Each structure stands twice: as structure tokens, then as C-alpha cells.
Amino acid sequence: MTLVATSLIELIRDAVRAKLDDHNIGIVLSGGLDSSTVACLAPPDLPTFTGYYDEPGFDERRFANLVAHDEHHEIRITPQDFIDHFDAMRSFVRPPV
């Protein structure tokens, strides 16, 4: 691995640690690059959570499961759940590191 790649990984790892020091609860894992990177660099004892829809084109669990921690929770979200809990959900979800 090159010095640049190693330095970049360490910078990202430090950013993940700094964010998790404040709120060490768990990781919302979408299966995308940002949340997958956070999951890979976070302590493995943190639980991961993935929300999913019953629509095949919007179900990214197969990607999330590649980096999910041992304690992983999958939460089915219906259209009505989304409407009913949107405001509460916004107050808990933080942007990726």
C-alpha cells in the first residue's frame, strides 16, 4: 500500500473515531460507500442497523451485509412507517462522517 493510501485510511479512521467518541451507539448502514467505510473502520462491537424496503430496486441489504457487524439489525420500512415516523427519524439520523 502506498504512503498516500495509508495516510488517507488513517485520516478517515481518526475521523470515524472522533465522531464515535461523542455518540457511541451504533451505525446506520445503507450499503453505500460512506456508511460502509464507517462500519469497516469502527469498532466491531458497535451494532449496525439497516433499513430496507420491500421494493427489489431499493433493497440494498446485500451490500450492507458485506460489512455488517456481528450484532446487525434489519428493519423493514413500509411507506406508512416512513410517513408516520419521518420527523422523529430526522432527529436521530446524522450525516456520515
Side-chain angles (χ1 to χ4, degrees):
M1 192 176 311
T2 69
L3 178 59
V4 172
T6 302
S7 297
L8 180 60
I9 290 169
E10 284 305 312
L11 284 170
I12 296 170
R13 183 174 282 128
D14 290 346
V16 169
R17 284 187 191 132
K19 285 291 186 182
L20 292 177
D21 282 347
D22 294 338
H23 305 286
N24 202 2
I25 298 169
I27 300 166
V28 176
L29 184 56
S30 68
L33 182 60
D34 293 351
S35 66
S36 294
T37 300
V38 170
C40 287
L41 296 176
D45 60 333
L46 277 180
T48 51
F49 301 84
T50 299
Y52 71 93
Y53 307 102
D54 282 334
E55 294 292 326
F58 295 100
D59 185 355
E60 297 184 343
R61 286 180 289 171
R62 67 183 183 277
F63 303 116
N65 286 331
L66 294 172
V67 296
H69 291 185
D70 288 340
E71 183 183 344
H72 180 64
H73 307 272
E74 294 182 350
I75 302 159
R76 181 176 165 261
I77 302 169
T78 67
Q80 191 60 49
D81 290 334
F82 189 83
I83 292 166
D84 291 346
H85 303 288
F86 182 75
D87 289 332
M89 188 174 52
R90 284 188 347 187
S91 69
F92 291 108
V93 176
R94 296 175 51 180
V97 173

